[in-house]
Amino acid sequence: LFIDDVHKLVRAGYSGHIEPLDKLLTEMEKAGNDPIVILAGLRKGFQEYLTETPKAKETFGYFFDLPDFDGRQMYLIAQEKLLKDGFHLDEAAATKLVKLFGYLYKSRDESFGNGHLVKKQVEHLRDHYLLRVDKGTADNNCITKEDIHAELPEEKTEDQILQDLNNFIGMQNLKTSIKELINHVK
Protein backbone atom coordinates (compact mmCIF):
# COMPACT_ATOMS: atom_id res chain seq x y z
CA LEU A 1 0.00 0.00 0.00
CA PHE A 2 1.57 3.28 -1.12
CA ILE A 3 0.16 6.48 0.35
CA ASP A 4 1.47 9.65 -1.26
CA ASP A 5 1.05 13.16 0.15
CA VAL A 6 0.76 11.67 3.63
CA HIS A 7 1.53 15.10 5.09
CA LYS A 8 -2.02 16.06 4.11
CA LEU A 9 -3.33 13.53 6.62
CA VAL A 10 -1.59 15.31 9.49
CA ARG A 11 -3.02 18.56 10.76
CA ALA A 12 -0.62 21.44 11.39
CA GLY A 13 0.61 21.48 14.97
CA TYR A 14 -0.03 17.79 15.53
CA SER A 15 -0.78 17.39 19.23
CA GLY A 16 -1.42 13.72 19.79
CA HIS A 17 -5.15 13.56 19.06
CA ILE A 18 -6.49 10.76 16.85
CA GLU A 19 -5.45 11.25 13.26
CA PRO A 20 -6.13 9.13 10.15
CA LEU A 21 -2.55 7.92 10.41
CA ASP A 22 -3.14 6.78 13.99
CA LYS A 23 -5.99 4.62 12.71
CA LEU A 24 -3.73 3.24 9.98
CA LEU A 25 -1.03 2.35 12.52
CA THR A 26 -3.59 0.51 14.66
CA GLU A 27 -4.80 -1.52 11.67
CA MET A 28 -1.21 -2.26 10.60
CA GLU A 29 -0.43 -3.52 14.09
CA LYS A 30 -3.38 -5.92 13.89
CA ALA A 31 -2.38 -7.14 10.40
CA GLY A 32 1.29 -7.82 11.09
CA ASN A 33 3.48 -7.46 8.02
CA ASP A 34 0.73 -7.75 5.45
CA PRO A 35 0.34 -5.48 3.56
CA ILE A 36 3.60 -3.63 3.20
CA VAL A 37 2.88 0.07 3.67
CA ILE A 38 4.93 2.91 2.22
CA LEU A 39 4.21 6.50 3.22
CA ALA A 40 5.55 9.42 1.21
CA GLY A 41 5.13 13.12 1.70
CA LEU A 42 6.64 16.46 2.50
CA ARG A 43 8.84 16.76 5.55
CA LYS A 44 6.76 19.55 7.09
CA GLY A 45 4.00 18.15 9.27
CA PHE A 46 4.83 14.53 8.64
CA GLN A 47 8.22 14.74 10.37
CA GLU A 48 6.57 16.31 13.43
CA TYR A 49 4.05 13.47 13.46
CA LEU A 50 6.81 10.87 13.38
CA THR A 51 8.72 12.63 16.14
CA GLU A 52 5.69 12.79 18.44
CA THR A 53 4.30 9.34 17.66
CA PRO A 54 6.45 6.53 19.11
CA LYS A 55 4.02 3.99 17.66
CA ALA A 56 4.95 5.15 14.15
CA LYS A 57 8.63 4.58 14.83
CA GLU A 58 7.86 1.08 16.13
CA THR A 59 5.56 0.19 13.23
CA PHE A 60 7.80 1.30 10.39
CA GLY A 61 11.20 -0.34 10.21
CA TYR A 62 12.74 2.02 7.69
CA PHE A 63 12.74 5.78 7.24
CA PHE A 64 14.24 7.45 4.20
CA ASP A 65 14.77 11.19 3.90
CA LEU A 66 15.28 11.59 0.17
CA PRO A 67 16.83 14.78 -1.21
CA ASP A 68 14.86 16.96 -3.59
CA PHE A 69 15.47 16.59 -7.31
CA ASP A 70 17.58 19.48 -8.54
CA GLY A 71 16.57 21.63 -11.51
CA ARG A 72 18.37 19.48 -14.07
CA GLN A 73 16.82 16.28 -12.74
CA MET A 74 13.35 17.86 -12.81
CA TYR A 75 13.95 18.90 -16.43
CA LEU A 76 14.94 15.34 -17.39
CA ILE A 77 11.83 13.93 -15.72
CA ALA A 78 9.63 16.48 -17.51
CA GLN A 79 11.31 15.71 -20.83
CA GLU A 80 10.71 11.98 -20.31
CA LYS A 81 7.03 12.56 -19.45
CA LEU A 82 6.59 14.71 -22.56
CA LEU A 83 8.27 12.12 -24.78
CA LYS A 84 6.05 9.41 -23.30
CA ASP A 85 3.02 11.54 -24.24
CA GLY A 86 4.32 12.02 -27.80
CA PHE A 87 5.67 15.57 -27.38
CA HIS A 88 9.14 16.99 -27.81
CA LEU A 89 10.78 20.31 -26.95
CA ASP A 90 12.44 22.62 -29.41
CA GLU A 91 15.87 23.94 -28.40
CA ALA A 92 14.61 27.29 -27.06
CA ALA A 93 11.90 25.59 -24.99
CA ALA A 94 14.41 23.11 -23.57
CA THR A 95 16.73 25.95 -22.55
CA LYS A 96 13.90 27.91 -20.91
CA LEU A 97 12.57 24.82 -19.12
CA VAL A 98 16.02 24.02 -17.69
CA LYS A 99 16.23 27.61 -16.40
CA LEU A 100 12.69 27.45 -15.00
CA PHE A 101 13.31 24.27 -13.05
CA GLY A 102 16.66 25.64 -11.85
CA TYR A 103 14.94 28.77 -10.59
CA LEU A 104 12.13 26.80 -8.93
CA TYR A 105 14.69 24.58 -7.21
CA LYS A 106 16.73 27.55 -5.96
CA SER A 107 13.65 29.31 -4.61
CA ARG A 108 12.10 26.23 -2.99
CA ASP A 109 10.70 26.25 0.54
CA GLU A 110 9.43 23.59 2.95
CA SER A 111 6.32 23.02 0.82
CA PHE A 112 8.39 22.15 -2.27
CA GLY A 113 7.04 18.97 -3.84
CA ASN A 114 9.26 18.53 -6.85
CA GLY A 115 7.64 15.44 -8.35
CA HIS A 116 4.25 17.10 -8.24
CA LEU A 117 5.76 20.33 -9.53
CA VAL A 118 7.15 18.55 -12.59
CA LYS A 119 3.81 16.88 -13.25
CA LYS A 120 2.01 20.23 -12.98
CA GLN A 121 4.49 21.96 -15.30
CA VAL A 122 4.14 19.21 -17.92
CA GLU A 123 0.35 19.56 -17.75
CA HIS A 124 0.70 23.33 -18.24
CA LEU A 125 3.00 22.79 -21.23
CA ARG A 126 0.54 20.43 -22.89
CA ASP A 127 -2.39 22.77 -22.15
CA HIS A 128 -0.59 25.79 -23.62
CA TYR A 129 0.50 23.76 -26.63
CA LEU A 130 -3.11 22.68 -27.26
CA LEU A 131 -4.35 26.26 -26.90
CA ARG A 132 -1.75 27.38 -29.43
CA VAL A 133 -2.75 24.62 -31.87
CA ASP A 134 -6.42 25.51 -31.34
CA LYS A 135 -5.59 29.02 -32.56
CA GLY A 136 -4.28 27.64 -35.85
CA THR A 137 -0.64 26.70 -35.26
CA ALA A 138 0.49 23.45 -36.90
CA ASP A 139 -0.11 20.36 -34.77
CA ASN A 140 3.44 18.95 -34.73
CA ASN A 141 3.63 17.94 -31.03
CA CYS A 142 6.54 20.35 -30.56
CA ILE A 143 6.55 22.36 -27.33
CA THR A 144 7.99 25.81 -27.96
CA LYS A 145 9.31 28.57 -25.72
CA GLU A 146 5.94 30.31 -26.04
CA ASP A 147 4.24 27.35 -24.37
CA ILE A 148 6.19 27.99 -21.16
CA HIS A 149 4.16 30.64 -19.37
CA ALA A 150 6.48 31.45 -16.51
CA GLU A 151 8.35 34.61 -15.72
CA LEU A 152 11.97 34.04 -14.87
CA PRO A 153 14.01 36.68 -13.14
CA GLU A 154 16.75 38.19 -15.25
CA GLU A 155 20.06 36.41 -14.73
CA LYS A 156 22.75 38.89 -13.82
CA THR A 157 26.48 38.61 -14.25
CA GLU A 158 28.83 39.02 -11.32
CA ASP A 159 29.73 42.51 -12.55
CA GLN A 160 26.06 43.53 -12.70
CA ILE A 161 25.45 42.23 -9.18
CA LEU A 162 28.51 44.04 -7.83
CA GLN A 163 27.39 47.23 -9.58
CA ASP A 164 23.96 46.94 -7.92
CA LEU A 165 25.70 46.40 -4.58
CA ASN A 166 27.91 49.44 -5.10
CA ASN A 167 24.83 51.56 -5.83
CA PHE A 168 23.64 51.08 -2.24
CA ILE A 169 24.50 54.02 -0.04
CA GLY A 170 26.72 53.16 2.90
CA MET A 171 27.12 49.59 4.18
CA GLN A 172 30.82 49.62 3.34
CA ASN A 173 31.60 46.74 5.75
CA LEU A 174 28.92 44.56 4.11
CA LYS A 175 30.16 45.42 0.61
CA THR A 176 33.73 44.55 1.58
CA SER A 177 32.64 41.26 3.19
CA ILE A 178 30.68 40.23 0.11
CA LYS A 179 33.60 41.02 -2.20
CA GLU A 180 35.95 39.04 0.06
CA LEU A 181 33.54 36.12 0.03
CA ILE A 182 33.36 36.21 -3.78
CA ASN A 183 37.16 36.21 -3.99
CA HIS A 184 37.35 33.36 -1.48
CA VAL A 185 34.93 31.27 -3.54
CA LYS A 186 36.90 31.96 -6.71
Side-chain angles (χ1 to χ4, degrees), residues 111-131:
S111 67
F112 183 69
N114 52 21
H116 294 292
L117 178 69
V118 170
K119 182 179 176 185
K120 193 183 306 182
Q121 286 298 325
V122 167
E123 288 171 1
H124 287 316
L125 291 173
R126 288 189 307 236
D127 290 348
H128 291 295
Y129 168 81
L130 292 172
L131 287 171

PDB file of all heavy atoms in Angstrom, residues 111-131:
ATOM      1  N   SER A 111       7.474  23.617   1.482  1.00  0.00           N
ATOM      2  CA  SER A 111       6.321  23.023   0.818  1.00  0.00           C
ATOM      3  C   SER A 111       6.659  22.533  -0.590  1.00  0.00           C
ATOM      4  O   SER A 111       5.778  22.150  -1.343  1.00  0.00           O
ATOM      5  CB  SER A 111       5.171  24.039   0.750  1.00  0.00           C
ATOM      6  OG  SER A 111       5.514  25.117  -0.100  1.00  0.00           O
ATOM      7  N   PHE A 112       7.933  22.531  -0.926  1.00  0.00           N
ATOM      8  CA  PHE A 112       8.387  22.152  -2.265  1.00  0.00           C
ATOM      9  C   PHE A 112       8.148  20.664  -2.500  1.00  0.00           C
ATOM     10  O   PHE A 112       8.693  19.820  -1.804  1.00  0.00           O
ATOM     11  CB  PHE A 112       9.873  22.478  -2.387  1.00  0.00           C
ATOM     12  CG  PHE A 112      10.462  22.214  -3.742  1.00  0.00           C
ATOM     13  CD1 PHE A 112      10.117  22.985  -4.831  1.00  0.00           C
ATOM     14  CD2 PHE A 112      11.394  21.210  -3.918  1.00  0.00           C
ATOM     15  CE1 PHE A 112      10.688  22.759  -6.077  1.00  0.00           C
ATOM     16  CE2 PHE A 112      11.965  20.974  -5.148  1.00  0.00           C
ATOM     17  CZ  PHE A 112      11.613  21.750  -6.232  1.00  0.00           C
ATOM     18  N   GLY A 113       7.318  20.349  -3.461  1.00  0.00           N
ATOM     19  CA  GLY A 113       7.042  18.970  -3.840  1.00  0.00           C
ATOM     20  C   GLY A 113       7.452  18.779  -5.281  1.00  0.00           C
ATOM     21  O   GLY A 113       6.643  18.926  -6.185  1.00  0.00           O
ATOM     22  N   ASN A 114       8.724  18.459  -5.499  1.00  0.00           N
ATOM     23  CA  ASN A 114       9.258  18.533  -6.850  1.00  0.00           C
ATOM     24  C   ASN A 114       8.631  17.560  -7.847  1.00  0.00           C
ATOM     25  O   ASN A 114       8.457  17.915  -9.000  1.00  0.00           O
ATOM     26  CB  ASN A 114      10.774  18.418  -6.847  1.00  0.00           C
ATOM     27  CG  ASN A 114      11.278  17.226  -6.095  1.00  0.00           C
ATOM     28  OD1 ASN A 114      10.557  16.260  -5.885  1.00  0.00           O
ATOM     29  ND2 ASN A 114      12.522  17.285  -5.664  1.00  0.00           N
ATOM     30  N   GLY A 115       8.286  16.368  -7.436  1.00  0.00           N
ATOM     31  CA  GLY A 115       7.637  15.441  -8.354  1.00  0.00           C
ATOM     32  C   GLY A 115       6.291  15.978  -8.827  1.00  0.00           C
ATOM     33  O   GLY A 115       5.958  15.929 -10.007  1.00  0.00           O
ATOM     34  N   HIS A 116       5.540  16.519  -7.887  1.00  0.00           N
ATOM     35  CA  HIS A 116       4.248  17.103  -8.239  1.00  0.00           C
ATOM     36  C   HIS A 116       4.425  18.365  -9.069  1.00  0.00           C
ATOM     37  O   HIS A 116       3.640  18.647  -9.964  1.00  0.00           O
ATOM     38  CB  HIS A 116       3.439  17.413  -6.975  1.00  0.00           C
ATOM     39  CG  HIS A 116       3.031  16.194  -6.228  1.00  0.00           C
ATOM     40  ND1 HIS A 116       2.114  15.298  -6.722  1.00  0.00           N
ATOM     41  CD2 HIS A 116       3.428  15.707  -5.034  1.00  0.00           C
ATOM     42  CE1 HIS A 116       1.952  14.311  -5.868  1.00  0.00           C
ATOM     43  NE2 HIS A 116       2.745  14.527  -4.836  1.00  0.00           N
ATOM     44  N   LEU A 117       5.468  19.119  -8.775  1.00  0.00           N
ATOM     45  CA  LEU A 117       5.759  20.333  -9.532  1.00  0.00           C
ATOM     46  C   LEU A 117       6.055  19.999 -10.992  1.00  0.00           C
ATOM     47  O   LEU A 117       5.560  20.658 -11.906  1.00  0.00           O
ATOM     48  CB  LEU A 117       6.941  21.077  -8.907  1.00  0.00           C
ATOM     49  CG  LEU A 117       7.397  22.329  -9.611  1.00  0.00           C
ATOM     50  CD1 LEU A 117       6.348  23.422  -9.483  1.00  0.00           C
ATOM     51  CD2 LEU A 117       8.712  22.806  -9.037  1.00  0.00           C
ATOM     52  N   VAL A 118       6.841  18.966 -11.221  1.00  0.00           N
ATOM     53  CA  VAL A 118       7.152  18.547 -12.593  1.00  0.00           C
ATOM     54  C   VAL A 118       5.878  18.131 -13.311  1.00  0.00           C
ATOM     55  O   VAL A 118       5.628  18.547 -14.445  1.00  0.00           O
ATOM     56  CB  VAL A 118       8.185  17.393 -12.609  1.00  0.00           C
ATOM     57  CG1 VAL A 118       8.321  16.799 -14.003  1.00  0.00           C
ATOM     58  CG2 VAL A 118       9.534  17.860 -12.081  1.00  0.00           C
ATOM     59  N   LYS A 119       5.065  17.344 -12.647  1.00  0.00           N
ATOM     60  CA  LYS A 119       3.808  16.883 -13.250  1.00  0.00           C
ATOM     61  C   LYS A 119       2.928  18.079 -13.632  1.00  0.00           C
ATOM     62  O   LYS A 119       2.382  18.132 -14.732  1.00  0.00           O
ATOM     63  CB  LYS A 119       3.071  15.975 -12.264  1.00  0.00           C
ATOM     64  CG  LYS A 119       1.784  15.406 -12.785  1.00  0.00           C
ATOM     65  CD  LYS A 119       1.140  14.508 -11.748  1.00  0.00           C
ATOM     66  CE  LYS A 119      -0.199  14.020 -12.232  1.00  0.00           C
ATOM     67  NZ  LYS A 119      -0.910  13.242 -11.225  1.00  0.00           N
ATOM     68  N   LYS A 120       2.825  19.045 -12.728  1.00  0.00           N
ATOM     69  CA  LYS A 120       2.010  20.231 -12.983  1.00  0.00           C
ATOM     70  C   LYS A 120       2.567  21.045 -14.147  1.00  0.00           C
ATOM     71  O   LYS A 120       1.821  21.505 -15.011  1.00  0.00           O
ATOM     72  CB  LYS A 120       1.949  21.099 -11.719  1.00  0.00           C
ATOM     73  CG  LYS A 120       0.889  22.176 -11.782  1.00  0.00           C
ATOM     74  CD  LYS A 120       0.883  23.072 -10.550  1.00  0.00           C
ATOM     75  CE  LYS A 120       0.763  22.286  -9.269  1.00  0.00           C
ATOM     76  NZ  LYS A 120       0.705  23.142  -8.068  1.00  0.00           N
ATOM     77  N   GLN A 121       3.878  21.204 -14.215  1.00  0.00           N
ATOM     78  CA  GLN A 121       4.494  21.960 -15.303  1.00  0.00           C
ATOM     79  C   GLN A 121       4.259  21.272 -16.644  1.00  0.00           C
ATOM     80  O   GLN A 121       3.980  21.928 -17.648  1.00  0.00           O
ATOM     81  CB  GLN A 121       5.995  22.155 -15.055  1.00  0.00           C
ATOM     82  CG  GLN A 121       6.321  23.174 -13.996  1.00  0.00           C
ATOM     83  CD  GLN A 121       5.840  24.564 -14.368  1.00  0.00           C
ATOM     84  OE1 GLN A 121       5.835  24.970 -15.522  1.00  0.00           O
ATOM     85  NE2 GLN A 121       5.421  25.312 -13.364  1.00  0.00           N
ATOM     86  N   VAL A 122       4.375  19.956 -16.678  1.00  0.00           N
ATOM     87  CA  VAL A 122       4.137  19.208 -17.921  1.00  0.00           C
ATOM     88  C   VAL A 122       2.684  19.389 -18.360  1.00  0.00           C
ATOM     89  O   VAL A 122       2.407  19.585 -19.551  1.00  0.00           O
ATOM     90  CB  VAL A 122       4.510  17.719 -17.751  1.00  0.00           C
ATOM     91  CG1 VAL A 122       3.981  16.876 -18.898  1.00  0.00           C
ATOM     92  CG2 VAL A 122       6.021  17.565 -17.616  1.00  0.00           C
ATOM     93  N   GLU A 123       1.761  19.340 -17.410  1.00  0.00           N
ATOM     94  CA  GLU A 123       0.346  19.565 -17.747  1.00  0.00           C
ATOM     95  C   GLU A 123       0.148  20.960 -18.326  1.00  0.00           C
ATOM     96  O   GLU A 123      -0.585  21.134 -19.301  1.00  0.00           O
ATOM     97  CB  GLU A 123      -0.527  19.369 -16.505  1.00  0.00           C
ATOM     98  CG  GLU A 123      -0.648  17.922 -16.083  1.00  0.00           C
ATOM     99  CD  GLU A 123      -1.328  17.750 -14.721  1.00  0.00           C
ATOM    100  OE1 GLU A 123      -1.737  18.758 -14.098  1.00  0.00           O
ATOM    101  OE2 GLU A 123      -1.423  16.591 -14.274  1.00  0.00           O
ATOM    102  N   HIS A 124       0.799  21.963 -17.721  1.00  0.00           N
ATOM    103  CA  HIS A 124       0.698  23.332 -18.244  1.00  0.00           C
ATOM    104  C   HIS A 124       1.264  23.419 -19.661  1.00  0.00           C
ATOM    105  O   HIS A 124       0.680  24.072 -20.524  1.00  0.00           O
ATOM    106  CB  HIS A 124       1.443  24.325 -17.344  1.00  0.00           C
ATOM    107  CG  HIS A 124       0.766  24.608 -16.038  1.00  0.00           C
ATOM    108  ND1 HIS A 124      -0.577  24.841 -15.910  1.00  0.00           N
ATOM    109  CD2 HIS A 124       1.273  24.713 -14.786  1.00  0.00           C
ATOM    110  CE1 HIS A 124      -0.876  25.067 -14.652  1.00  0.00           C
ATOM    111  NE2 HIS A 124       0.225  24.991 -13.941  1.00  0.00           N
ATOM    112  N   LEU A 125       2.396  22.767 -19.898  1.00  0.00           N
ATOM    113  CA  LEU A 125       3.005  22.792 -21.232  1.00  0.00           C
ATOM    114  C   LEU A 125       2.054  22.207 -22.265  1.00  0.00           C
ATOM    115  O   LEU A 125       1.856  22.788 -23.340  1.00  0.00           O
ATOM    116  CB  LEU A 125       4.319  22.023 -21.234  1.00  0.00           C
ATOM    117  CG  LEU A 125       5.481  22.621 -20.456  1.00  0.00           C
ATOM    118  CD1 LEU A 125       6.656  21.647 -20.410  1.00  0.00           C
ATOM    119  CD2 LEU A 125       5.906  23.944 -21.055  1.00  0.00           C
ATOM    120  N   ARG A 126       1.470  21.061 -21.956  1.00  0.00           N
ATOM    121  CA  ARG A 126       0.535  20.433 -22.890  1.00  0.00           C
ATOM    122  C   ARG A 126      -0.687  21.309 -23.118  1.00  0.00           C
ATOM    123  O   ARG A 126      -1.143  21.471 -24.251  1.00  0.00           O
ATOM    124  CB  ARG A 126       0.113  19.050 -22.376  1.00  0.00           C
ATOM    125  CG  ARG A 126       1.208  18.013 -22.479  1.00  0.00           C
ATOM    126  CD  ARG A 126       0.681  16.630 -22.168  1.00  0.00           C
ATOM    127  NE  ARG A 126       0.001  16.594 -20.889  1.00  0.00           N
ATOM    128  CZ  ARG A 126       0.311  15.776 -19.896  1.00  0.00           C
ATOM    129  NH1 ARG A 126       1.272  14.916 -20.031  1.00  0.00           N
ATOM    130  NH2 ARG A 126      -0.371  15.813 -18.766  1.00  0.00           N
ATOM    131  N   ASP A 127      -1.209  21.894 -22.026  1.00  0.00           N
ATOM    132  CA  ASP A 127      -2.388  22.767 -22.153  1.00  0.00           C
ATOM    133  C   ASP A 127      -2.087  23.967 -23.048  1.00  0.00           C
ATOM    134  O   ASP A 127      -2.887  24.313 -23.927  1.00  0.00           O
ATOM    135  CB  ASP A 127      -2.855  23.258 -20.779  1.00  0.00           C
ATOM    136  CG  ASP A 127      -3.462  22.147 -19.930  1.00  0.00           C
ATOM    137  OD1 ASP A 127      -3.731  21.055 -20.466  1.00  0.00           O
ATOM    138  OD2 ASP A 127      -3.642  22.385 -18.715  1.00  0.00           O
ATOM    139  N   HIS A 128      -0.947  24.616 -22.821  1.00  0.00           N
ATOM    140  CA  HIS A 128      -0.592  25.793 -23.620  1.00  0.00           C
ATOM    141  C   HIS A 128      -0.306  25.409 -25.070  1.00  0.00           C
ATOM    142  O   HIS A 128      -0.640  26.165 -25.991  1.00  0.00           O
ATOM    143  CB  HIS A 128       0.590  26.539 -22.999  1.00  0.00           C
ATOM    144  CG  HIS A 128       0.235  27.207 -21.706  1.00  0.00           C
ATOM    145  ND1 HIS A 128      -0.673  28.240 -21.622  1.00  0.00           N
ATOM    146  CD2 HIS A 128       0.646  26.979 -20.449  1.00  0.00           C
ATOM    147  CE1 HIS A 128      -0.795  28.612 -20.369  1.00  0.00           C
ATOM    148  NE2 HIS A 128      -0.010  27.861 -19.625  1.00  0.00           N
ATOM    149  N   TYR A 129       0.285  24.254 -25.275  1.00  0.00           N
ATOM    150  CA  TYR A 129       0.499  23.761 -26.631  1.00  0.00           C
ATOM    151  C   TYR A 129      -0.858  23.581 -27.337  1.00  0.00           C
ATOM    152  O   TYR A 129      -1.046  24.038 -28.459  1.00  0.00           O
ATOM    153  CB  TYR A 129       1.269  22.436 -26.619  1.00  0.00           C
ATOM    154  CG  TYR A 129       1.253  21.746 -27.958  1.00  0.00           C
ATOM    155  CD1 TYR A 129       2.139  22.128 -28.963  1.00  0.00           C
ATOM    156  CD2 TYR A 129       0.331  20.742 -28.236  1.00  0.00           C
ATOM    157  CE1 TYR A 129       2.107  21.526 -30.214  1.00  0.00           C
ATOM    158  CE2 TYR A 129       0.292  20.136 -29.472  1.00  0.00           C
ATOM    159  CZ  TYR A 129       1.177  20.527 -30.461  1.00  0.00           C
ATOM    160  OH  TYR A 129       1.134  19.934 -31.693  1.00  0.00           O
ATOM    161  N   LEU A 130      -1.802  22.933 -26.652  1.00  0.00           N
ATOM    162  CA  LEU A 130      -3.105  22.679 -27.261  1.00  0.00           C
ATOM    163  C   LEU A 130      -3.864  23.978 -27.531  1.00  0.00           C
ATOM    164  O   LEU A 130      -4.559  24.091 -28.560  1.00  0.00           O
ATOM    165  CB  LEU A 130      -3.932  21.747 -26.371  1.00  0.00           C
ATOM    166  CG  LEU A 130      -3.390  20.314 -26.276  1.00  0.00           C
ATOM    167  CD1 LEU A 130      -4.151  19.520 -25.223  1.00  0.00           C
ATOM    168  CD2 LEU A 130      -3.426  19.615 -27.622  1.00  0.00           C
ATOM    169  N   LEU A 131      -3.726  24.960 -26.651  1.00  0.00           N
ATOM    170  CA  LEU A 131      -4.353  26.260 -26.901  1.00  0.00           C
ATOM    171  C   LEU A 131      -3.742  26.925 -28.134  1.00  0.00           C
ATOM    172  O   LEU A 131      -4.460  27.533 -28.938  1.00  0.00           O
ATOM    173  CB  LEU A 131      -4.183  27.174 -25.677  1.00  0.00           C
ATOM    174  CG  LEU A 131      -5.039  26.835 -24.470  1.00  0.00           C
ATOM    175  CD1 LEU A 131      -4.619  27.678 -23.268  1.00  0.00           C
ATOM    176  CD2 LEU A 131      -6.517  27.043 -24.783  1.00  0.00           C
TER     177      LEU A 131
END
